[in-house]
Amino acid sequence: MDVSPVQLFNSLCPPRAPPTAYSTLHSRSLNSLSYESFRVKGGLSYSLSISSGVRALDRDKWKRTEDHPLADDFTDNNQDADSWPRSLQRDFAGTPYVPVYVMLPLSVIDMNCELVDPEGLKNQLRILKSVNVDGVMVDCWWGIIEAHAPQTYNWTGYRRLFEIVRDVGLKLQVVMSFHKCGGNVGDDVNIPLPQWVREIGDSNPDIYFTDKEGRRNTECLTWGIDKERVLRGRTAVEVYFDFMRNFRVEFDDFFVDGVISEIEVGLGPCGELRYPSYPVKFGWKYPGIGAFQCYDKYMMKSLSKAAEKRGHSFWGRAPNNAGSYNSVPHETGFFRDGGDYDSYYGRFFLNWYSQFLIDHGDRVLALANLAFEGSCIAAKLSGIHWWYKTASHAAELTTGFYNSAHRDGYAPIAAMLKKHEVALNFTCVELRTLIQHEDFPEAMADPEGLVWQVLNAAWDVSIPVASENALPCYDREGYNKILENAKPRNDPDGRHLCAFTYLRLSRILIDRHNFLEFERFVKGMHGEAISDLPLH
């Protein structure tokens, strides 16, 4: 997203707070954990830590700590790990084992598909292995691997990476990343879509999602070309399938020996099953409702056909009273209480718009099951929690989740995932509604209500649910919150997350004190008894 951090900070954060931002899928470095605003997976969310365990990190004071074998050029913050009251700590000993993975840095593979720092990576992986982390997650970028010509794949750096992971004794979650990386605030790499795809886009920009102003979003391809042979004789889903099948053949040995434990299939922007309805580069600011993304010629053709089939050809258009990216629901004729979203036309349009999203997931996951037969497959869903307390749920509607007050928008998605026996990866599980309300009452957000709805939609159809932390997490309060969500207390069915992936491996994580807290967290996720770990 083409916007400077300063611009985004000024637009998002209250003046009383020093701001920072976090991009979906991407990690950042923080100067202080007392910052109040973070950009999170699936959108923007905000959280203020209230724990006395929050610690400031001053990179200017980093120093080598010779007496700590896990620290290399990192300082001990000299904080008291026992500051969290023991009376408030839940004993997770004997609880279900939840595997813990750690995302690798974005820069681990360069644009030439070469592993950047093999020895440094090997040392970091050994550190993770020393505290019994189960594995790591890595993106396989379409824009790197099939960069220059159709069906010409370069896996060189990934094979070397996978060999190192295997040698260290860790497992792999691999993401099929069919979206662009870079342009989000804080991104330290830029990985566009393949060059040959961008050349097609130069002459046919309708291959990209398009808003009502005609602006093209080059972050990923519109689902309107899923079945259109516009990519040098192939449809978009054929391109995705050929990529996945080639990966499966190339790394057969890693599947056979069980090193690759899961494939996560990218289904949209940031790898998530959603429309790119809130692009910062087009001026969106939290908590704007976003905008419908269906104005490419392929999607408009589908809408016209659906309207004709319904017998109301004049419905073959997108709403003209849905506001703009930064509107609020009550300012629009479409999303306000009693607005057109709940009219005959509104229900028709939203059904079509949301079904288009579900059909895309259905097509790609069906082919993923063919490519990865017998392997665990996951899909990621974003947590659009702002405006959740309004009747229309406007931000969810523009994102493609038809989840208004009188309709469950996540049950149909869960049913589609169940059809393919695909796990759901949801990213909003650590946020607190009270904190959201205190910092941004105008957003009418309810992340806890959203989490309850989505997790139960998945568990009701008996599909596994995994998660990732949305905010940077180094303190005990944050880890305890994740543990509580991973293993709900007194759940009569004993439901729990099937896996957790930590965002992201960094120098700050391996700081001596932070890593001891992380080790404690891993023990809790594994259901082991936790004793307070010494700092000295």
Side-chain angles (χ1 to χ4, degrees), residues 138-449:
V138 63
D139 292 279
C140 280
W141 294 102
W142 183 30
I144 290 178
I145 295 154
E146 196 181 357
H148 303 296
Q151 295 180 281
T152 300
Y153 307 101
N154 178 10
W155 302 102
T156 305
Y158 286 100
R159 174 159 286 278
R160 179 67 182 127
L161 169 62
F162 291 4
E163 289 171 349
I164 290 174
V165 172
R166 178 174 58 189
D167 292 345
V168 172
L170 295 171
K171 294 186 179 297
L172 277 162
Q173 293 174 325
V174 183
V175 185
M176 302 286 102
S177 296
F178 297 114
H179 61 284
K180 173 184 177 180
C181 175
N184 292 316
V185 174
D187 287 352
D188 56 2
V189 297
N190 179 51
I191 305 171
L193 298 185
Q195 175 62 36
W196 63 273
V197 173
R198 286 180 280 137
E199 291 172 356
I200 295 171
D202 290 340
S203 59
N204 180 13
D206 284 286
I207 68 172
Y208 302 120
F209 283 107
T210 307
D211 66 13
K212 68 179 180 180
E213 305 299 331
R215 289 171 290 194
R216 316 290 186 168
N217 191 321
T218 60
E219 191 173 355
C220 62
L221 300 180
T222 173
W223 308 326
I225 64 168
D226 276 2
K227 297 188 287 185
E228 300 284 343
R229 297 191 177 279
V230 296
L231 300 178
R232 298 194 183 178
R234 290 186 295 167
T235 67
V237 293
E238 287 172 341
V239 169
Y240 304 147
F241 174 68
D242 290 341
F243 181 94
M244 292 186 289
R245 180 175 58 182
N246 191 269
F247 174 86
R248 179 61 182 80
V249 172
E250 174 69 24
F251 295 104
D252 178 69
D253 49 328
F254 291 91
F255 284 93
V256 171
D257 62 18
V259 173
I260 296 177
S261 60
E262 179 184 276
I263 299 293
E264 184 173 287
V265 181
L267 296 172
C270 299
E272 298 165 340
L273 180 60
R274 64 173 176 88
Y275 289 92
S277 58
Y278 46 91
V280 174
K281 68 179 179 179
F282 292 159
W284 176 85
K285 300 176 183 178
Y286 183 86
I289 60 176
F292 293 115
Q293 305 289 313
C294 58
Y295 290 86
D296 64 83
K297 66 182 181 183
Y298 303 104
M299 289 193 68
M300 292 306 293
K301 180 181 178 181
S302 170
L303 178 58
S304 294
K305 285 185 176 180
E308 291 174 5
K309 183 178 180 181
R310 179 69 179 269
H312 303 293
S313 58
F314 56 94
W315 283 356
R317 57 172 177 81
N320 58 12
N321 60 348
S324 58
Y325 287 114
N326 293 314
S327 297
V328 298
H330 65 266
E331 294 176 345
T332 73
F334 192 79
F335 296 114
R336 63 177 175 81
D337 288 354
D340 289 346
Y341 81 93
D342 203 28
S343 67
Y344 288 112
Y345 159 73
R347 292 195 295 271
F348 158 78
F349 173 79
L350 293 171
N351 269 305
W352 170 81
Y353 190 71
S354 62
Q355 191 61 47
F356 214 92
L357 173 146
I358 293 172
D359 288 346
H360 169 72
D362 184 41
R363 285 188 289 266
V364 177
L365 293 176
L367 294 176
N369 268 325
L370 287 177
F372 302 116
E373 184 177 4
S375 299
C376 295
I377 299 174
K380 185 176 293 185
L381 202 64
S382 53
I384 311 300
H385 55 79
W386 55 103
W387 304 116
Y388 189 87
K389 289 184 177 180
T390 62
S392 63
H393 292 228
E396 290 167 274
L397 298 188
T398 59
T399 307
F401 307 146
Y402 190 179
N403 190 53
S404 61
H406 303 295
R407 188 182 189 278
D408 186 348
Y410 298 101
I413 296 173
M416 181 271 291
L417 298 179
K418 176 64 177 179
K419 173 183 175 182
H420 303 291
E421 294 298 332
V422 168
L424 169 65
N425 187 3
F426 197 57
T427 60
C428 191
V429 294
E430 72 205 57
L431 303 180
R432 296 173 176 85
T433 297
L434 177 61
I435 302 300
Q436 303 297 308
H437 179 70
E438 289 176 349
D439 287 348
F440 295 90
E442 71 277 13
M444 300 292 286
D446 186 7
E448 292 178 16

Side-chain angles (χ1 to χ4, degrees), residues 56-121:
L57 301 176
D58 186 349
R59 285 186 285 177
D60 294 333
K61 296 181 180 179
W62 281 350
K63 61 182 180 180
R64 186 175 180 86
T65 308
E66 299 290 351
D67 62 344
H68 183 54
L70 300 181
D72 183 12
D73 298 323
F74 309 119
T75 184
D76 176 6
N77 291 310
N78 294 320
Q79 300 292 331
D80 183 7
D82 298 328
S83 60
W84 183 258
R86 294 192 181 191
S87 62
L88 298 180
Q89 296 183 41
R90 175 180 163 194
D91 183 6
F92 288 93
T95 58
Y97 185 102
V98 176
V100 176
Y101 291 76
V102 177
M103 293 185 195
L104 294 183
L106 292 171
S107 57
V108 66
I109 301 287
D110 66 19
M111 286 300 297
N112 295 317
C113 203
E114 297 293 340
L115 186 58
V116 173
D117 181 13
E119 289 305 313
L121 174 66

